[in-house]
Every structure is written in structure tokens, then in C-alpha cells.
Amino acid sequence: MADALKIGIAGLGTVGASLVRILQQRRNELAVSCGRTIDVVAVSARDRMRDRGFDMTGMMWFDNPIAMAETADIDVFVELMGGAEGAASDAVRAALNRGLHVVTANKALLARDGVNLAALAEEKGVLLNYEAAVAGGIPVIKALRESLTGNTVSRVYGIMNGTCNYILTKMEKEGLSFEACLKEAQRLGYAEADPAFDIEGNDTAHKLSILTTLAFGSQIAADDIYLEGITNISIEDIHAAAELGYRIKLLGVAQRTETGIEQRVHPTMVPLASVIAQVDGVTNAVAIESDILGELLMVGPGAGGNATASAVLGDIADIAKSRPGAQLVPVLGRPARTLEPYRRAQIQSHEGGYFIRLTVEDRTGVFASIATRMAENRISLESIVQHSKQQVEAGKPQTIILVTHATREDSVRKAIDAIKGEGYLIGEPQVIRIERPKDA
Amino acid sequence: MADALKIGIAGLGTVGASLVRILQQRRNELAVSCGRTIDVVAVSARDRMRDRGFDMTGMMWFDNPIAMAETADIDVFVELMGGAEGAASDAVRAALNRGLHVVTANKALLARDGVNLAALAEEKGVLLNYEAAVAGGIPVIKALRESLTGNTVSRVYGIMNGTCNYILTKMEKEGLSFEACLKEAQRLGYAEADPAFDIEGNDTAHKLSILTTLAFGSQIAADDIYLEGITNISIEDIHAAAELGYRIKLLGVAQRTETGIEQRVHPTMVPLASVIAQVDGVTNAVAIESDILGELLMVGPGAGGNATASAVLGDIADIAKSRPGAQLVPVLGRPARTLEPYRRAQIQSHEGGYFIRLTVEDRTGVFASIATRMAENRISLESIVQHSKQQVEAGKPQTIILVTHATREDSVRKAIDAIKGEGYLIGEPQVIRIERPKDA
């Protein structure tokens, strides 16, 4: 049997503590699978005295994770601190510079600095693994980076934020408002006290930017993502979606278009009969469409100490099964220096179906006016309906729902502006993009 | 850049020809991803003269695949001939003996001889990759063998035969008989002229036996699988399932129980609201339940030249990215010599819910008699209903459907035998096991 693999773990929160316990409890089984034992020989966290449910005997303690990366007698540096800057970034860089393999769950760090870190890892001939950074326990990084080698990806999309999916599922199932469901998510620990990062779509955007690079071989462009959160989704939208045969999900979508790569995160109507529409609660799902394989969909836990620890463990096991210096897997699917510049397709040129919900005054000619404005912008309608669940009384505001065939975003915007100019609109129109999985 | 990886391909049917074309067309992209070029330098097939849509210049031709394995100047032997015995088996063995890496899509060979071949590969320090052998393009081997390292799997199950899933989907969607849908599947090339291997469940059993070994670390036991095909499923069953909130799928299921490992392939009721119930047509799906990660479901194309070629290509790429002798990934998840003997749990001790459809004479007391026989065998009923779509006329045969709570298979068999003894049963009772995914 080969020498033990010595690892140092920086960050002993839920995931880190879970990882250490698993490595200790399954030491023998892991040795059988990996061909050598995996030993945690160094740890770093803020509070040395806290009881984390495992025995620290034999582990060297570091108050400073950078010092651990620079000096500990380890083969692998595992970064579970989080944060795009500061200690996490400095420690990962120090570890790579020293020629250590690195495993991280840090999506923010990769979204910001992934290309440079990948180049550094490749220069040093070490592995930088990050399965846990996107969609938790779902092995989507491995699928894109290894299984799909040689495929040309056309679209990758998914439900990558459990908080948002929990809220949207609960709104639909229980008929509650966004605010009520957010509160429940906070009570259950699915949402942070400050939920903005999740519900505004930033978390999904970080993850999407990594998938985009793996899928299309372009440099990471986390700041070039069109972003809409779910705070604007009302129970009326959810009901109207269901009536029309759709369900609303917060998707991150990246696709190749003629003008460049489209990266967008927004509430999306997906057909009720599609597999991804059935993905409920905090569960995540990622779909990859490619030319040789076809469509691959993976569904699983996107967060949680254990699921995340499982992904980190898989990354560590991959290193344990390799020999130092022997592995050539490029960090981002292809060598960092060969990644192409990111060419952004603007959201205005996005093509797809649209759901549009308008509240209008009850006037003669409103229906005709809306239909005309759509036609003027060459938007073809799949359906135009009055919301059937609403008790319609003469003189009261009416709800009109339009579903368009595939059209351009700028046409939709122009049509909406024209409708706004007519004066019969009450409040803001709701516009939700439709995304069609290949199976629906 | 490292030396080119030289591969020899035995078998140039749909998958083999597709693989050669892809390797030729994407030579440059693959070199970027893998760090070296991949060259097809030798091929073997039955008919040298057939036009396969690619240029054979630079490839050495072998009429005999075993001679190719023994003498060709190659690093990797790719076996795409099929069949558990004969040339495929001899050639793979010869290649391993010679110290070549092997990639195969041959589920029958692995189901029959996988443990010995794995031991040989490990002894020679080479890789034996077989992602395409189970569920085509879905990277389930990689997930079990690599991503889930350290997890204890409790259950693995899936839709692993596209022919059966196509037939069951079509029966439900179009209300056609099994026979009519089988004919349509044959017309479309989804089913063989002799469809027995698919529709009787043998194909699923081969695949399941490989997943069982990866999941539970036991020796492959492809002959110890409880088997029921789909030929017995009627449109009445499908309608009754839908009414009760279920859909019928041919599943392969392997799970740990107290008495051993249960491996079974049979038509199964899955809850309509579960994700796997939405997997339609020739698409495959595999679910893995484990203690650290939780539930992972993967959905994708289970067959077809391109999807299968994509999986083979991923396997070749993994070899290209490694260095000879550097990789320690055990073929079956743990070294072959450490696999435990297979301990079979008998189907009689299976516990789960059951759907039972009975056709009975219209007599007083039949309902009470059935309920009594169930109670005598301590079977608790979720529902007992008269099939509501059937026009019930006095004196005509009646259909009665029972759905049980979790109970033992032998109790169900005893109860059915007792009911048979009562004399009011017309024809054979239909019994379909219910499987509950964790998400439903």
C-alpha cells in the first residue's frame, strides 16, 4: 500500500467538521477504495476550544490557515472557509504555490479568481478540485470535466439554489406568499438572516459562471451574467403558470448563441411535464445538453454539511487514487491558458417564449390593443387569456395573460413599452421567460 | 505534450464507427483537453470492405480481434464487439494480460466475468473502464466508483432498458396494448426482432449486477437476480396505476436488507409525483441512495451509437489524462480480491407495498372474503377499490384493486393462494410491487 495521504483542513464549520468525522469513521473502508489511508494531520479554524464532535489528537492546530498552507506537513490543502477574498484566497494561493493539491468548496473564490488559480495549479502540476462548489453533492463538475470530454455543449442549466427552490415549491404547494415562505425558510435554516445573496440570484450566478467555463471553454465571467431574483414572483404568477402547464423555477442558464454566450439567472417557466419541473424543495438539478451524449440531467442535494462533505471527500479520494505529478486533468476542463475570452450575448438578443401577465383597466378595446402591439413587434402568441380563476366583474381591473411563441427579448420589451403608453395598464407588467428542456 | 495515446478498436458497428468518426473529427480539441492526441492506429471487425463513413488510412486492420490485442502497437484496447463469451472475452483477457488498458461497453461480459477481469487488470496495473456498459451515456459508473467514495449505499435502482420504458410509456400515452407497442418499438429500431432479452428483464439484470457490486462491494451475482419482465402488463394495469397515483416502470433494484442483498428486476409502481416517474420513452435513469450524499438521480440516454460512444470516449479520455501505471482506481470500486461474497436476500422476504388486481365473480361476500384473507396474513391495506372506469353490471366479472401498506412478499403470496382457494377468482391475479423513491 502507498504512503498515507496527509491532508490539512482549513475551516471547521458544518462541512469541515462533518468531513473530519467521516474521514475518521471510515478510515479503513477509504483505505481499501483508495489504496492508501487518508489522514487529517492539520486543521485550522477560528476557535480552537469549540467541541466539534471529533477527536483532534494527532492533528496539528493552526490559528492561521495561511501558515498551515505554507508550513504544515501535508499533501492536500482543503479549503472550507468560504469568501472570495482574504484568508481563503491567500491560503489557497499559498498552498498551490507550495505544490500542494487543493480541494475547495468555495464558489465565490472560483467565480472571481478561478482562471488564475487553475493556471497556477497547472504550472505547479497539482490538482485543484472543487466538486462541492456547484450544486453540492451532484457530481456535475466531474461530468463536465471528465465524462463529457470531446462533447460540444450547447446549453447547461439548472436549479442551483435550494433556498429559492424551497420558497417557490412552498408557494405553489401551500398557496402562501413569497414573504411567508421566505420566513419559513429562515426558520428552518434554509435561508440566511440576510437572504439577498440567495433570493436575488447571486449565488446561482457564481455557480453558473463555473459551469459556463467548463461547458464552453471560455474564461470565467461571473460579473457578465443577466440577473433577476425571485422576490418579484407572486402567488398569481404561480397559479397562472400551473393553469398554462408550467411551473416556475429559478434557473441559471448558459447557452451558446450566434452572438456569443448567454448567461442568465432568472425565474423561469418550465413545462410541468418535464423532469426538472418535478425537482422540489431544497433539491438541486443540473441539465447538460451536448452533441454526442445528448441530454444529461442530474438531481440531488445542493447543500447541507453531509452532501457537501461527500463531494469534498470524492475530490480527496480522486487525489488519493492518483500519484503526485501523474495526473493531467485540467482544472477547468482544458488548460487555463487555452480558455477563450468570454464573448457575452446580450439579454436583448435572447430568443425564447415569454409569459406576460398584465393587469389592465376594464375598457373596450384593451384586448385588441394588446394584440395589436404584439403583432406590430412580430410577436406570435401561443395564447392570450383572461385569468380564469379570477372573479371578473365589469369595471374592475382585469388580468390578462399572454404566452408567446419564441421571440426576441427586445421585441417583447418594445411591445411592453408600447402597451405602457396606452394608459390602461395598472401596475408593472410581469414578464417571465420560458425555458424548454429537450424532453418537453 | 505527452506521447500520443494509441488505441485499437475491436468492433465497428454503430458505436465503434461513431467513436472513430468522433476521434478523427475532434482530434485537436481532445488533445487540448487530454494533454495528448488520441490516435486510432488499429481496428478489427468482420467485414473489411464495408463503408463505415471514415477514412481508415493509418489504421492497421485485423481480421482477428485477439491477434490485435496480442500484437498491435497500442496502449488501449477498446472492445465493442459484445457477447459474454468467445472473441470478446478472449480479446479482453489477452489485452489485459499484455498490460494494455481496456475500455469496454460489454455488460454481458462484465456480468459474467467482471470480478476475474478486474483482478487481472489490477494485477497488471492497468485500467479497465466500462462506463458505457450500464445506462449508456449516464455517468453512473463514475459516480459510484469515484464520486461516492466513502459513502455507504443503501439502495440503487433505475430504468435501465430503453425498449421497456418506450413500450410502457407508449402504452400509457396512447392506450395501446403491449403487443402493439412492442411492434412499434421494433419498427423504430428500439427493439430487436427477438425482443426477449429486453422485455424479459435480462438486459436490465446484467446492468444491475454491475451496479450492485459497485454499490455494495460484493462479488458480481448476475444469476442471483429475481426477474419478471413486462410482457404481463396490461393496459388495465396502467390505467389502474394512474388512477391510484402511480406509473409502471421496469426497474432494476438492489438494496441492502438484514438478510443480505436484494437484487430484483420487475415492473414497478412508482409514485406519479416522483422525478423518476417522469422519465419517458427510451431515456434511462439511475438513482443512488447513500448515507452521506443522500439521493442522487441521473437521467439520460441509455443507448444509441452516439450516447454510448460518448461514454466510451470519456473512458478513453480518463486513460489519456493519466500516466501508465500511475492510477489506482480499483475497477469495481474496491480491489477485486477484497470484494465480499454475495449474500442473496430471497424475494420472499422482500418488504414493500403491493398493487394487486383481481378479477372476481360477482358474488355476495367476495369483498369481505378478500379483506379477511389479507387480514389473516397481517396485510394492512392502503386502499381496496372497485375499478372505477369499468362499467359494472350485476352478474358480470368485477375488478378489484388492492394497494397494501409495506408488507412481506411471502404474506402476499399466502394471501393470494388463500384467495385462489375460494373459487371466485377469474384468471390469474396481477401483483405489482410498489417502489418509493425518497423524494415521494
Side-chain angles (χ1 to χ4, degrees), chain A residues 349-362:
Chain A
S349 62
H350 168 67
E351 283 192 25
Y354 288 78
F355 161 100
I356 303 167
R357 183 169 59 85
L358 306 168
T359 308
V360 297
E361 290 174 10
D362 183 24

Side-chain angles (χ1 to χ4, degrees), chain A residues 2 18 22 26 30 32-36 131 136-139 142-143 145-152 272-275 278-279 291-301 306-307 309-311 313-314 317-318 320-323 325-330 333-335 338 439, chain B residues 2 18 22 26 30 32-36 131 136-139 142-143 145-152 272-275 278-279 291-301 306-307 309-311 313-314 317-318 320-323 325-330 333-335 338 439:
Chain A
S18 180
I22 294 163
R26 310 235 161 136
L30 284 166
V32 170
S33 298
C34 298
R36 54 168 137 173
E131 186 62 81
I138 301 175
K142 197 175 260 288
R145 197 161 76 154
E146 301 174 23
S147 303
L148 284 157
T149 304
N151 275 265
T152 299
L272 263 179
S274 63
V275 180
Q278 318 304 320
V279 176
D291 61 345
I292 313 176
L293 173 55
E295 188 181 11
L296 178 67
L297 174 72
M298 296 192 280
V299 183
N306 275 342
S310 177
L313 182 57
D318 277 352
K321 291 169 192 166
S322 76
R323 281 281 172 276
Q327 195 79 1
L328 291 170
V329 183
R334 49 193 291 174
T338 72
D439 73 341
Chain B
S18 180
I22 294 164
R26 311 236 161 134
L30 283 166
V32 169
S33 297
C34 298
R36 54 167 137 172
E131 187 63 81
I138 303 175
K142 199 175 256 289
R145 198 161 75 153
E146 301 174 23
S147 302
L148 283 157
T149 304
N151 275 266
T152 298
L272 263 177
S274 63
V275 179
Q278 319 304 320
V279 175
D291 60 345
I292 312 177
L293 172 55
E295 188 181 10
L296 178 67
L297 175 72
M298 297 192 282
V299 183
N306 275 343
S310 177
L313 183 57
D318 277 351
K321 291 169 192 167
S322 76
R323 280 284 172 276
Q327 195 79 359
L328 291 170
V329 182
R334 50 193 290 173
T338 72
D439 73 340

Side-chain angles (χ1 to χ4, degrees), chain B residues 240-255:
Chain B
E243 268 175 54
L244 292 161
Y246 294 94
R247 191 164 275 158
I248 301 177
K249 297 290 182 191
L250 182 76
L251 293 191
V253 185
Q255 69 188 123

